[in-house]
Amino acid sequence: MSKDERRAEIIRVAADLFEKLGYARASMDDIAAAVGIGKPTLYHYFRSKSELLWYMHEELIDGLIESHGARVEQGLEPAELLRGVIHDFLRNIATRRGQCRVFFENHRELPDADLAVATEKRARYEAMVQDVVRDGIAAGTFRKVDAKLFSLAIFGMSNWAYQWYHSDGELTQDEIADAFWDYAYRGLMP
């Protein structure tokens, strides 16, 4: 297994443990045991639990920014851009549930320097989504709303799904994302 593959495995296993035990209760000993490596080997890949949290956060926020940027580069209309934002959140929740939990619940526990970077990236992403709402308003696609408040509503509706979404539930992640988009879009229609 390459170093990158092992790091990815550790992140996945740690995220599952954080989902089951909670970030505060899961220890580096627990993570090492669950991965099947010694604690010194774990420290070779991650110096601390907060470093693991940092990598989980970065992976998610960078993925959201990159995915949104790719849609913007494709020239998609504001409605499709916002729809994509919702789908990104639900896809992450469906495929990285534990990682999403710590992303939403524990990012404030990052060391100060990392927290400053994380906070800036989150703010940049929120601004990107707000810009989409403003662009949709300017184009006449959306009615005039407070772009920041509407973006927060989208985030709240989509992000909170990590609390209750299960892949074996009645609806798929895409069906839920489409329903959320329908509720939001009808509320934006002029």
Side-chain angles (χ1 to χ4, degrees), residues 30-49:
D30 295 330
I31 296 165
V35 174
I37 59 177
K39 192 172 173 182
T41 303
L42 176 59
Y43 280 113
H44 173 73
Y45 292 97
F46 295 99
R47 294 176 301 213
S48 65
K49 195 165 68 165

Side-chain angles (χ1 to χ4, degrees), residues 4 15 23 30 42 46 51 68 73 80 82 90-92 109 119 122 124 134 139 153 159 164 168 172 174 177 182 184:
D4 288 341
Y23 176 75
D30 295 330
L42 176 59
F46 295 99
E51 186 177 44
H68 183 70
E73 286 183 22
E80 283 304 306
L82 276 181
L90 269 292
R91 184 178 316 103
N92 277 328
E109 297 175 45
T119 300
R122 290 167 89 101
R124 183 167 21 121
R134 286 186 196 97
N159 294 348
W164 52 263
D168 59 351
T172 68
D174 287 327
D182 181 61

Side-chain angles (χ1 to χ4, degrees), residues 110-139:
L110 288 166
D112 289 344
D114 292 341
L115 181 58
V117 173
T119 300
E120 183 278 325
K121 282 187 178 183
R122 290 167 89 101
R124 183 167 21 121
Y125 183 68
E126 289 173 14
M128 293 167 74
V129 174
Q130 290 170 28
D131 287 344
V132 171
V133 176
R134 286 186 196 97
D135 292 346
I137 292 167

